[in-house]
């Protein structure tokens, strides 16, 4: 990524002065472990080499002046670190202000204003966590500029999640912010979302490509449907806790679920809990499969994850199901599933390199025939977590 033109743009927008510092925070893709994080289970994401860049210069007043190259027609949006009320139009600036607000809530106050220019290269609406990358980027900037050395990377992720939950109103789990803050090149993060203990697992794909396929489908109700799923799981946990001594659904295994599912009187809630429990077990098995070098088993677990997300958690959609089903029937496809929050977005597939052109051609042809447009493909690399570049 060539920073020079973005730096020139910064000077154009904010004027001559001290050289801006440059920061980066990545987006993520989740290999397996979907909708398990807020259920106290495991997730297995990796950070990508695409993400959000932030160029920053200190100000002597309290202004927070924000400009995004991705929303250039908005121009510079001015607010103040002394008044962090959210913009009512749901502007992108809320992701930055929300984190400054979360820092303040926990006693980490910004001492003065900032000029910040943003540039992101994550395709928007793809479900690759552009918002989490912006939150983690903001946290990384605040820690560095204001010398808050005691704030760990995990804390930055938690403060980003706090902003998303309480300022934006999306009741997300910790996965996206954690992956963006903690990621490591060529490693996936096996995270216990309850204890926040994690293991960085080397991913040596060799003759296999990690291909993300963007359906281009974005549903406006994602946030409310997501919050509904979360509430359904909480209801399920409540019913189980009447008899079982458990802290979260992540404490259950499949056999316990089979035995105690009768405690859950509502059929929909039972299906949601079934997914949360079985997906958590699949994710733990996926770690074993990787440790044993058994990528085929890893792929089978990905496929089962998709079925569970489609049938029990009901967060897939017709377009995504077509992409996944078509992929499953092709030679060289080790595994394919919906990834991220759901209701559209992307699939993630492991595909033998020698078959990747066939994969793209077939998926494009069938998608075009069904919906009259092409999906987009990204052959992504696994990158490092957030940090200062220069
Ligand atoms: C979104 C949320 C995450 C996680 C996934 C589903 O990306 O931000 O916390 O719950 O959905 O696995």
């Amino acid at each position: 990524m060539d920073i020079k033109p973005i730096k020139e743009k910064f000077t154009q927008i904010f004027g001559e002065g001290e050289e801006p510092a440059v920061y980066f925070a990545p987006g993520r893709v989740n290999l397996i472990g979907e909708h398990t994080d807020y259920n106290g289970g495991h997730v297995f994401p990796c950070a990508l080499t695409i993400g959000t860049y932030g160029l920053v210069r200190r100000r002597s007043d309290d202004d927070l002046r924000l400009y995004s190259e991705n929303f250039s027609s908005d121009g510079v949006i001015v607010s103040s670190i002394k008044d962090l009320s959210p913009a009512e139009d749901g502007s992108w600036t809320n992701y930055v202000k929300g984190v400054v607000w979360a820092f303040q809530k926990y006693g980490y106050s910004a001492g003065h204003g900032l000029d910040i220019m943003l540039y992101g290269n994550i395709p928007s609406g793809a479900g690759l966590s552009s918002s989490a990358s912006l939150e983690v980027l903001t946290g990384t900037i605040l820690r560095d500029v204001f010398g808050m050395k005691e704030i760990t990377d995990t804390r930055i992720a938690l403060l980003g999640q706090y902003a998303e939950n309480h300022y934006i109103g999306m009741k997300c789990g910790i996965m996206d912010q954690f992956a963006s803050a903690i990621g490591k090149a060529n490693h996936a993060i096996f995270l216990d979302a309850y204890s926040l203990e994690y293991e960085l697992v080397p991913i040596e794909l060799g003759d296999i490509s990690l291909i993300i396929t963007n359906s281009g489908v974005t549903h406006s109700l994602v946030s409310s449907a997501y919050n509904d799923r979360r509430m359904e799981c909480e209801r399920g946990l409540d019913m189980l806790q009447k008899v079982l001594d458990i802290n979260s659904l992540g404490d259950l295994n499949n056999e316990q679920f089979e035995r105690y599912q009768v405690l859950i009187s509502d059929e929909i809630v039972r299906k949601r809990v079934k997914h949360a429990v079985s997906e958590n077990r699949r994710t733990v098995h996926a770690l074993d499969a990787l440790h044993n070098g058994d990528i085929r088993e890893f792929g089978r677990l990905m496929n089962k994850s998709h079925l569970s997300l489609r049938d029990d958690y009901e967060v897939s959609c017709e377009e995504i199901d077509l992409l996944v089903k078509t992929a499953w029937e092709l030679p060289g496809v080790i595994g394919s599933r919906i990834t991220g929050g759901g209701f559209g977005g992307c699939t993630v597939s492991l595909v033998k390199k020698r078959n990747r052109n066939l994969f793209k051609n077939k998926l494009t042809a069938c998608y075009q025939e069904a919906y009259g447009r092409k999906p987009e493909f990204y052959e992504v690399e696994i990158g490092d977590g957030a940090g200062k570049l220069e």
Side-chain angles (χ1 to χ4, degrees), residues 164-329:
E164 181 96 34
N165 288 173
H166 301 286
Y167 192 90
I168 304 289
M170 162 88 172
K171 304 289 177 203
C172 67
I174 189 63
M175 171 170 72
D176 305 349
Q177 291 80 4
F178 202 88
S180 182
I182 304 281
K184 185 171 175 206
N186 301 319
H187 287 71
I189 309 155
F190 181 76
L191 169 69
D192 176 336
Y194 191 78
S195 66
L196 297 187
E197 279 170 23
Y198 66 95
E199 177 184 337
L200 293 170
V201 187
I203 298 277
E204 284 141 20
L205 288 172
D207 62 345
I208 294 168
S209 283
L210 181 62
I211 305 184
I212 295 175
T213 307
N214 188 354
S215 68
V217 177
T218 49
H219 284 299
S220 56
L221 293 175
V222 176
S223 162
S224 68
Y226 182 96
N227 292 350
D228 287 349
R229 294 295 181 285
R230 188 166 179 156
M231 268 161 29
E232 286 159 356
C233 287
E234 280 163 11
R235 280 181 57 210
L237 178 63
D238 267 357
M239 294 184 215
L240 290 167
Q241 280 174 330
K242 299 228 157 53
V243 172
L244 293 172
D245 183 21
I246 51 171
N247 292 317
S248 74
L249 297 180
D251 287 345
L252 287 182
N253 61 34
N254 292 334
E255 293 70 37
Q256 287 165 317
F257 170 76
E258 288 300 329
R259 183 152 9 120
Y260 292 106
Q261 57 169 314
V262 287
L263 297 171
I264 307 173
S265 49
D266 181 316
E267 195 196 331
I268 299 278
V269 171
R270 203 179 313 132
K271 278 171 42 164
R272 307 297 189 244
V273 172
K274 182 179 172 206
H275 167 77
V277 172
S278 65
E279 180 75 353
N280 186 36
R281 301 326 297 172
R282 277 188 289 277
T283 310
V284 173
H285 290 152
L287 176 69
D288 295 340
L290 270 195
H291 281 156
N292 298 334
D294 190 350
I295 195 77
R296 295 254 161 222
E297 176 62 10
F298 193 93
R300 275 192 290 273
L301 291 162
M302 288 172 74
N303 297 348
K304 284 188 187 157
S305 161
H306 182 77
L307 290 174
S308 177
L309 287 157
R310 186 190 73 184
D311 301 335
D312 290 334
Y313 220 62
E314 297 179 282
V315 290
S316 189
C317 63
E318 185 189 300
E319 293 88 340
I320 289 280
D321 289 340
L322 177 68
L323 291 171
V324 168
K325 189 169 167 289
T326 308
W328 285 349
E329 286 160 5

Side-chain angles (χ1 to χ4, degrees), residues 28 30 33-35 37-38 172-176 226 340-341:
R28 65 96 188 93
N30 190 20
E34 218 67 84
H35 291 277
D37 55 356
Y38 54 84
C172 67
I174 189 63
M175 171 170 72
D176 305 349
Y226 182 96

